[in-house]
């Protein structure tokens, strides 16, 4: 209490010990808080991500001017040689189905729908996407998901009874921008890896399926197309700004 | 009067030190988890639930489920694919 005596004490004694004690108490508080419980849930969340099946996929983009596709892995017969870029000028891409060592089994953009082949992993660059497009033809709707999250859903038009849209697993092969957003293909058009089962050719092409926009939304919610999936111009524009080539597309009856 | 507060303070500091030490230990150690967390965070998590840290991928099931992706080579670390620049071309899809 004597100021003089107080001033003779080592500086670190009177004010320091209570301060250190306060710091020590504060250091204890975080350890007693819920942070340790939060971290395991974050870790658990990351573990769940690693062990759950993905909703997106792996995309293989050809590095050279062409790529050999084989019927089996490990140097079997070459069944296709595909050029890159493709006929529209887009980098040749595939959706990876499985791997075996240095070989990738990929979906092929050719008939019959669902065809696969094997390519060497060294011939492509592999990227990953969590986007996925699900088409529900019975409900005339599409849903775009990213991981487990639904991002966008909307109405669709599908093929007529004479020119039906074939269900199956496909992927986007290219993104085109027509000159007239008010035209038949709307503001944008994604090509699909699949083809019509009834049309061998259409508009000078091989009967390739697509997902494209339309400014005539009266056709959405019905059987109106020659096999393509039609969405509104707003929805196709949203997709064009986000979805990469190679995004898996699942068309369900 | 001097001794008691100081003793209490030192006791509190000691208790705090020993109280926080386990918390710090559990925070820092990834191997502390009992779960079999893959040891290589760069490994691709999206392919199957097969063991990522093991050297050889499974070969027995490749023909069973064509829709199921098997383990990637260990040196793969795929980037996230981004949106593409649209090509100004007229489509010839089925429409």
């Amino acid at each position: 209490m004597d100021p003089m005596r107080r001033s003779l004490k080592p500086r670190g004694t009177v004010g320091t010990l209570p301060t250190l004690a306060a710091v020590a108490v504060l250091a204890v508080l975080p350890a007693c808080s819920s942070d340790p419980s939060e971290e395991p849930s974050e870790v658990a969340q990351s573990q769940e991500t690693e062990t759950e099946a993905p909703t997106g996929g792996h995309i293989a983009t050809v590095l050279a001017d062409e790529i050999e596709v084989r019927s089996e892995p490990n140097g079997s017969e070459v069944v296709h040689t595909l050029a890159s870029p493709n006929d529209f000028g887009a980098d040749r891409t595939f959706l990876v189905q499985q791997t075996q060592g240095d070989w990738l089994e990929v979906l092929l953009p050719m008939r019959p729908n669902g065809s696969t082949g094997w390519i060497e992993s060294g011939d492509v660059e592999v990227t990953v996407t969590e986007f996925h497009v699900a088409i529900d033809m019975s409900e005339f709707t599409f849903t775009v998901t990213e991981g487990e999250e639904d991002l966008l859903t909307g109405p669709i038009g599908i093929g007529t009874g004479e020119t039906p849209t074939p269900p199956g697993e496909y992927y986007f092969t290219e993104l085109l921008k027509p000159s007239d957003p008010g035209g038949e293909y709307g503001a944008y058009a994604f090509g699909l890896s699949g083809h019509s089962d009834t049309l061998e050719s259409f508009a000078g092409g091989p009967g390739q399926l697509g997902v494209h926009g339309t400014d005539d939304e009266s056709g959405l919610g019905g059987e109106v197309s020659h096999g393509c999936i039609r969405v509104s111009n707003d929805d196709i524009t949203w997709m064009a700004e986000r979805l990469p080539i190679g995004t898996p597309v699942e068309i369900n009856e | 009067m001097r001794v008691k507060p100081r003793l209490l303070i030192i006791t509190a500091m000691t208790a705090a030190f020993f109280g926080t030490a386990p918390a710090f230990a559990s925070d820092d150690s990834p191997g502390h988890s009992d779960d079999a967390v893959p040891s290589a965070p760069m490994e691709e998590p999206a392919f199957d639930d097969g063991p990522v840290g093991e050297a050889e991928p499974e070969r027995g099931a490749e023909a069973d489920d064509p829709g199921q992706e098997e383990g990637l080579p260990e040196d793969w670390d795929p980037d996230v694919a981004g949106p593409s620049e649209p090509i100004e071309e007229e489509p010839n899809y089925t429409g």
Side-chain angles (χ1 to χ4, degrees):
Chain A
M1 306 300 282
D2 183 344
M4 290 303 292
R5 292 187 66 184
R6 191 174 294 163
S7 67
L8 293 175
K9 292 179 183 177
R11 288 185 179 182
T13 301
V14 174
T16 301
L17 279 177
T19 303
L20 290 175
V23 170
V25 171
L26 291 174
V28 173
L29 289 177
C32 300
S33 74
S34 59
D35 282 349
S37 63
E38 289 175 1
E39 288 189 6
S41 67
E42 290 176 355
V43 171
Q45 189 175 13
S46 69
Q47 291 177 351
E48 291 174 1
T49 301
E50 292 173 355
T51 56
E52 288 180 350
T55 57
H58 288 78
I59 302 164
T61 302
V62 175
L63 296 172
D65 294 336
E66 63 180 29
I67 188 166
E68 293 181 336
V69 181
R70 302 173 188 272
S71 58
E72 294 178 12
N74 297 329
S76 61
E77 176 190 6
V78 176
V79 291
H80 305 289
T81 300
L82 300 179
S84 182
N86 65 14
D87 292 341
F88 288 106
D91 290 338
R92 178 75 66 181
T93 58
F94 306 99
L95 182 64
V96 180
Q97 298 294 94
Q98 63 170 322
T99 70
Q100 187 176 108
D102 293 332
W103 295 86
L104 314 178
E105 186 181 23
V106 296
L107 270 182
L108 297 177
M110 58 187 57
R111 290 184 168 93
N113 292 333
S115 296
T116 62
W118 291 86
I119 60 176
E120 290 190 74
S121 63
D123 291 342
V124 295
E125 177 189 11
V126 175
T127 53
V128 65
T129 183
E130 290 199 352
F131 289 113
H132 178 269
V133 179
I135 305 292
D136 186 337
M137 292 199 288
S138 65
E139 296 292 329
F140 297 95
T141 59
F142 78 88
T143 301
V144 179
T145 58
E146 183 179 20
E148 298 295 321
E149 182 182 2
D150 291 353
L151 296 184
L152 182 70
T153 189
I156 61 172
I158 64 173
T160 66
E162 292 183 351
T163 55
T165 304
E169 301 277 343
Y170 309 104
Y171 65 93
F172 288 151
T173 53
E174 63 274 332
L175 172 61
L176 305 183
K177 184 177 183 179
S179 57
D180 181 10
E184 183 178 0
Y185 296 99
Y188 294 94
F190 280 102
L192 285 175
S193 55
H195 296 76
S196 168
D197 288 338
T198 56
L199 296 173
E200 289 295 319
S201 65
F202 185 87
Q208 182 182 356
L209 303 174
V211 177
H212 63 81
T214 179
D215 66 349
D216 179 13
E217 299 193 11
S218 66
L220 302 180
E223 298 179 355
V224 294
S225 79
H226 296 91
C228 282
I229 300 295
R230 296 182 186 177
V231 300
S232 70
N233 269 347
D234 285 345
D235 288 342
I236 198 69
T237 300
W238 185 97
M239 292 184 199
E241 293 172 347
R242 291 163 180 80
L243 305 187
I245 301 306
T247 297
V249 179
E250 179 182 354
I251 299 180
N252 300 301
E253 295 186 86
Chain B
M1 191 170 150
R2 283 183 197 172
V3 173
K4 290 182 181 178
R6 184 182 302 179
L7 181 60
L8 289 175
I9 290 167
I10 293 174
T11 304
M13 290 173 59
T14 304
F17 174 79
F18 286 108
T20 57
F24 288 134
S26 65
D27 289 349
D28 291 340
S29 172
H32 189 74
S33 170
D34 293 333
D35 295 329
V37 177
S39 58
M42 298 297 286
E43 294 294 342
E44 177 51 54
F47 268 36
D48 206 349
D49 55 355
V52 178
E54 295 183 5
E56 297 183 0
E58 296 177 0
R59 296 177 181 274
E62 69 272 11
D64 294 339
D65 189 348
Q68 185 176 10
E69 295 170 322
E70 297 186 356
L72 282 173
E74 290 186 359
D75 57 349
W76 277 21
D77 181 19
D79 294 330
V80 175
S84 299
E85 199 64 31
I87 298 170
E88 295 186 356
E89 281 278 347
E90 297 304 313
N92 58 9
Y93 308 139
T94 55

